[in-house]
Amino acid sequence: MNTIVRMVMMFLFLILVTHVSEAYNTCPKCGSIDVPYPLSTDDNCGDPRYKVYCNNGILEFLSAAGFYYKILSINPSAYKLIISPPPIQKDTCYSSDLSSGGLKLDENLPFNISTHNTVMLFNCSEHITRSPLNCSSISFCRQFENNVEEGLGCKNTLCCHYLKDSAMTSHMIRLRVGGCTAYTSMVDMKPGSSFDSWTYGIELQWVPPN
């Protein structure tokens, strides 16, 4: 057997061992959602650096500030998952994670916020208009506060939207009194799309294990 054949066989063997190891160490389903490797709901499965939580059959992601976000879907081949934006409290313009400062990811963990999210901010102070955001009368946020029940409490506040891009921090969507107090997010939003076609969520991506 020549050297090239041996190298190819060794490579294929390593791939097989990796797949078998991952399959063996995969966590059980949480409710109706599969929990693919390396995500971990328990110390005995997955990779502990990729911690998620199965709480009463609901799979959740825990922020650095201690707020739980429901996981809506997972795409293991793309190393991505989508979490639900926090609800805006009824008859207010305050997101339920306002006291946590919004969404904050631990920068020491292998997760970050992807560039496929269009974020809408509500009840903002005037100084935010100096930021590179769309705060115009045709901003997407106007459709949300005029047509979506959850946004009614934010009607007539200063609102803006932006596409989360690589120039911005990939570990935070910031909220604070004196800044903006509520937000929501859509994944892969198409320009000109109507509010009734939006896919709500915050897409996170992870760095695959070595």
mmCIF file of all heavy atoms in Angstrom, residues 61 78-83 103 105 111-114 117 170 202-206:
data_model
loop_
_atom_site.group_PDB
_atom_site.id
_atom_site.type_symbol
_atom_site.label_atom_id
_atom_site.label_comp_id
_atom_site.label_asym_id
_atom_site.label_seq_id
_atom_site.Cartn_x
_atom_site.Cartn_y
_atom_site.Cartn_z
ATOM 1 N N PHE A 61 -31.598 29.604 25.482
ATOM 2 C CA PHE A 61 -30.231 30.126 25.477
ATOM 3 C C PHE A 61 -30.125 31.149 26.605
ATOM 4 O O PHE A 61 -30.992 32.017 26.744
ATOM 5 C CB PHE A 61 -29.937 30.791 24.131
ATOM 6 C CG PHE A 61 -28.545 31.348 24.001
ATOM 7 C CD1 PHE A 61 -27.509 30.549 23.541
ATOM 8 C CD2 PHE A 61 -28.271 32.669 24.335
ATOM 9 C CE1 PHE A 61 -26.219 31.057 23.425
ATOM 10 C CE2 PHE A 61 -26.984 33.181 24.214
ATOM 11 C CZ PHE A 61 -25.962 32.378 23.762
ATOM 12 N N ALA A 78 -24.885 24.838 9.412
ATOM 13 C CA ALA A 78 -24.443 26.229 9.243
ATOM 14 C C ALA A 78 -23.919 26.812 10.552
ATOM 15 O O ALA A 78 -23.541 27.981 10.595
ATOM 16 C CB ALA A 78 -25.594 27.081 8.724
ATOM 17 N N TYR A 79 -23.919 26.023 11.625
ATOM 18 C CA TYR A 79 -23.484 26.460 12.953
ATOM 19 C C TYR A 79 -24.303 27.663 13.429
ATOM 20 O O TYR A 79 -23.755 28.642 13.952
ATOM 21 C CB TYR A 79 -21.988 26.808 12.956
ATOM 22 C CG TYR A 79 -21.107 25.778 12.303
ATOM 23 C CD1 TYR A 79 -20.331 26.105 11.182
ATOM 24 C CD2 TYR A 79 -21.055 24.476 12.763
ATOM 25 C CE1 TYR A 79 -19.527 25.159 10.560
ATOM 26 C CE2 TYR A 79 -20.250 23.518 12.150
ATOM 27 C CZ TYR A 79 -19.497 23.875 11.047
ATOM 28 O OH TYR A 79 -18.707 22.927 10.426
ATOM 29 N N LYS A 80 -25.623 27.571 13.288
ATOM 30 C CA LYS A 80 -26.481 28.700 13.642
ATOM 31 C C LYS A 80 -27.711 28.230 14.400
ATOM 32 O O LYS A 80 -28.179 27.107 14.231
ATOM 33 C CB LYS A 80 -26.929 29.454 12.381
ATOM 34 C CG LYS A 80 -25.791 30.187 11.663
ATOM 35 C CD LYS A 80 -26.278 30.865 10.397
ATOM 36 C CE LYS A 80 -25.138 31.603 9.704
ATOM 37 N NZ LYS A 80 -25.595 32.268 8.455
ATOM 38 N N LEU A 81 -28.222 29.120 15.239
ATOM 39 C CA LEU A 81 -29.508 28.906 15.881
ATOM 40 C C LEU A 81 -30.240 30.240 15.934
ATOM 41 O O LEU A 81 -29.624 31.304 15.854
ATOM 42 C CB LEU A 81 -29.350 28.283 17.270
ATOM 43 C CG LEU A 81 -28.524 29.026 18.337
ATOM 44 C CD1 LEU A 81 -29.373 30.047 19.090
ATOM 45 C CD2 LEU A 81 -27.929 28.029 19.326
ATOM 46 N N ILE A 82 -31.557 30.178 16.047
ATOM 47 C CA ILE A 82 -32.368 31.388 16.117
ATOM 48 C C ILE A 82 -33.104 31.395 17.449
ATOM 49 O O ILE A 82 -33.755 30.424 17.825
ATOM 50 C CB ILE A 82 -33.370 31.456 14.949
ATOM 51 C CG1 ILE A 82 -32.621 31.573 13.623
ATOM 52 C CG2 ILE A 82 -34.323 32.651 15.123
ATOM 53 C CD1 ILE A 82 -33.519 31.558 12.397
ATOM 54 N N ILE A 83 -32.971 32.506 18.176
ATOM 55 C CA ILE A 83 -33.676 32.678 19.443
ATOM 56 C C ILE A 83 -34.814 33.676 19.255
ATOM 57 O O ILE A 83 -34.810 34.490 18.331
ATOM 58 C CB ILE A 83 -32.736 33.145 20.577
ATOM 59 C CG1 ILE A 83 -32.086 34.496 20.236
ATOM 60 C CG2 ILE A 83 -31.672 32.098 20.862
ATOM 61 C CD1 ILE A 83 -31.252 35.082 21.373
ATOM 62 N N LEU A 103 -29.840 42.167 25.049
ATOM 63 C CA LEU A 103 -29.147 40.900 24.793
ATOM 64 C C LEU A 103 -27.643 41.096 24.905
ATOM 65 O O LEU A 103 -27.065 41.912 24.191
ATOM 66 C CB LEU A 103 -29.497 40.372 23.402
ATOM 67 C CG LEU A 103 -28.737 39.130 22.924
ATOM 68 C CD1 LEU A 103 -28.989 37.946 23.852
ATOM 69 C CD2 LEU A 103 -29.124 38.785 21.491
ATOM 70 N N LEU A 105 -24.089 38.691 25.046
ATOM 71 C CA LEU A 105 -23.454 37.385 24.972
ATOM 72 C C LEU A 105 -22.108 37.428 25.679
ATOM 73 O O LEU A 105 -21.416 38.448 25.657
ATOM 74 C CB LEU A 105 -23.249 36.962 23.511
ATOM 75 C CG LEU A 105 -24.467 36.963 22.588
ATOM 76 C CD1 LEU A 105 -24.095 36.352 21.246
ATOM 77 C CD2 LEU A 105 -25.630 36.217 23.211
ATOM 78 N N PHE A 111 -20.221 31.872 20.873
ATOM 79 C CA PHE A 111 -21.415 32.363 20.195
ATOM 80 C C PHE A 111 -21.285 33.840 19.872
ATOM 81 O O PHE A 111 -20.677 34.602 20.631
ATOM 82 C CB PHE A 111 -22.656 32.164 21.076
ATOM 83 C CG PHE A 111 -23.011 30.739 21.353
ATOM 84 C CD1 PHE A 111 -22.596 30.123 22.530
ATOM 85 C CD2 PHE A 111 -23.766 30.000 20.451
ATOM 86 C CE1 PHE A 111 -22.930 28.809 22.804
ATOM 87 C CE2 PHE A 111 -24.105 28.682 20.715
ATOM 88 C CZ PHE A 111 -23.683 28.083 21.888
ATOM 89 N N ASN A 112 -21.878 34.255 18.753
ATOM 90 C CA ASN A 112 -21.992 35.680 18.455
ATOM 91 C C ASN A 112 -23.258 35.932 17.654
ATOM 92 O O ASN A 112 -23.905 35.003 17.175
ATOM 93 C CB ASN A 112 -20.747 36.211 17.728
ATOM 94 C CG ASN A 112 -20.488 35.507 16.421
ATOM 95 O OD1 ASN A 112 -21.173 35.743 15.420
ATOM 96 N ND2 ASN A 112 -19.508 34.604 16.402
ATOM 97 N N ILE A 113 -23.630 37.198 17.531
ATOM 98 C CA ILE A 113 -24.825 37.590 16.786
ATOM 99 C C ILE A 113 -24.454 37.697 15.316
ATOM 100 O O ILE A 113 -23.501 38.385 14.954
ATOM 101 C CB ILE A 113 -25.371 38.931 17.307
ATOM 102 C CG1 ILE A 113 -25.685 38.837 18.798
ATOM 103 C CG2 ILE A 113 -26.622 39.342 16.531
ATOM 104 C CD1 ILE A 113 -26.016 40.171 19.453
ATOM 105 N N SER A 114 -25.203 37.028 14.457
ATOM 106 C CA SER A 114 -24.853 36.995 13.033
ATOM 107 C C SER A 114 -25.210 38.315 12.352
ATOM 108 O O SER A 114 -25.867 39.188 12.929
ATOM 109 C CB SER A 114 -25.569 35.831 12.326
ATOM 110 O OG SER A 114 -26.881 36.209 11.931
ATOM 111 N N ASN A 117 -29.418 39.781 10.887
ATOM 112 C CA ASN A 117 -30.497 40.311 11.711
ATOM 113 C C ASN A 117 -30.767 41.782 11.407
ATOM 114 O O ASN A 117 -29.840 42.595 11.372
ATOM 115 C CB ASN A 117 -30.130 40.185 13.198
ATOM 116 C CG ASN A 117 -29.928 38.749 13.625
ATOM 117 O OD1 ASN A 117 -30.859 37.961 13.680
ATOM 118 N ND2 ASN A 117 -28.679 38.384 13.926
ATOM 119 N N SER A 170 -20.665 42.244 17.908
ATOM 120 C CA SER A 170 -21.388 41.007 17.586
ATOM 121 C C SER A 170 -21.829 40.267 18.841
ATOM 122 O O SER A 170 -22.212 39.110 18.780
ATOM 123 C CB SER A 170 -20.498 40.096 16.733
ATOM 124 O OG SER A 170 -19.316 39.764 17.441
ATOM 125 N N ILE A 202 -33.651 36.261 16.442
ATOM 126 C CA ILE A 202 -32.277 36.760 16.501
ATOM 127 C C ILE A 202 -31.379 35.579 16.176
ATOM 128 O O ILE A 202 -31.345 34.595 16.928
ATOM 129 C CB ILE A 202 -31.925 37.325 17.892
ATOM 130 C CG1 ILE A 202 -32.931 38.413 18.309
ATOM 131 C CG2 ILE A 202 -30.506 37.884 17.897
ATOM 132 C CD1 ILE A 202 -32.819 38.813 19.766
ATOM 133 N N GLU A 203 -30.690 35.664 15.050
ATOM 134 C CA GLU A 203 -29.836 34.556 14.638
ATOM 135 C C GLU A 203 -28.473 34.668 15.318
ATOM 136 O O GLU A 203 -27.800 35.697 15.211
ATOM 137 C CB GLU A 203 -29.668 34.548 13.123
ATOM 138 C CG GLU A 203 -28.868 33.342 12.625
ATOM 139 C CD GLU A 203 -28.675 33.360 11.115
ATOM 140 O OE1 GLU A 203 -27.758 34.083 10.647
ATOM 141 O OE2 GLU A 203 -29.426 32.668 10.416
ATOM 142 N N LEU A 204 -28.098 33.602 15.996
ATOM 143 C CA LEU A 204 -26.760 33.488 16.595
ATOM 144 C C LEU A 204 -25.977 32.445 15.821
ATOM 145 O O LEU A 204 -26.552 31.508 15.274
ATOM 146 C CB LEU A 204 -26.861 33.064 18.064
ATOM 147 C CG LEU A 204 -27.775 33.879 18.988
ATOM 148 C CD1 LEU A 204 -27.684 33.332 20.412
ATOM 149 C CD2 LEU A 204 -27.440 35.351 18.954
ATOM 150 N N GLN A 205 -24.691 32.606 15.772
ATOM 151 C CA GLN A 205 -23.836 31.601 15.146
ATOM 152 C C GLN A 205 -22.765 31.187 16.132
ATOM 153 O O GLN A 205 -22.440 31.926 17.067
ATOM 154 C CB GLN A 205 -23.220 32.142 13.860
ATOM 155 C CG GLN A 205 -22.402 33.402 14.011
ATOM 156 C CD GLN A 205 -22.051 34.038 12.671
ATOM 157 O OE1 GLN A 205 -22.560 33.655 11.635
ATOM 158 N NE2 GLN A 205 -21.151 35.012 12.713
ATOM 159 N N TRP A 206 -22.247 29.979 15.952
ATOM 160 C CA TRP A 206 -21.182 29.537 16.845
ATOM 161 C C TRP A 206 -19.964 29.104 16.045
ATOM 162 O O TRP A 206 -20.049 28.692 14.888
ATOM 163 C CB TRP A 206 -21.657 28.427 17.767
ATOM 164 C CG TRP A 206 -21.962 27.097 17.157
ATOM 165 C CD1 TRP A 206 -21.076 26.119 16.811
ATOM 166 C CD2 TRP A 206 -23.261 26.566 16.822
ATOM 167 N NE1 TRP A 206 -21.725 25.023 16.297
ATOM 168 C CE2 TRP A 206 -23.057 25.263 16.295
ATOM 169 C CE3 TRP A 206 -24.564 27.050 16.945
ATOM 170 C CZ2 TRP A 206 -24.120 24.458 15.883
ATOM 171 C CZ3 TRP A 206 -25.603 26.245 16.532
ATOM 172 C CH2 TRP A 206 -25.378 24.964 16.004
#
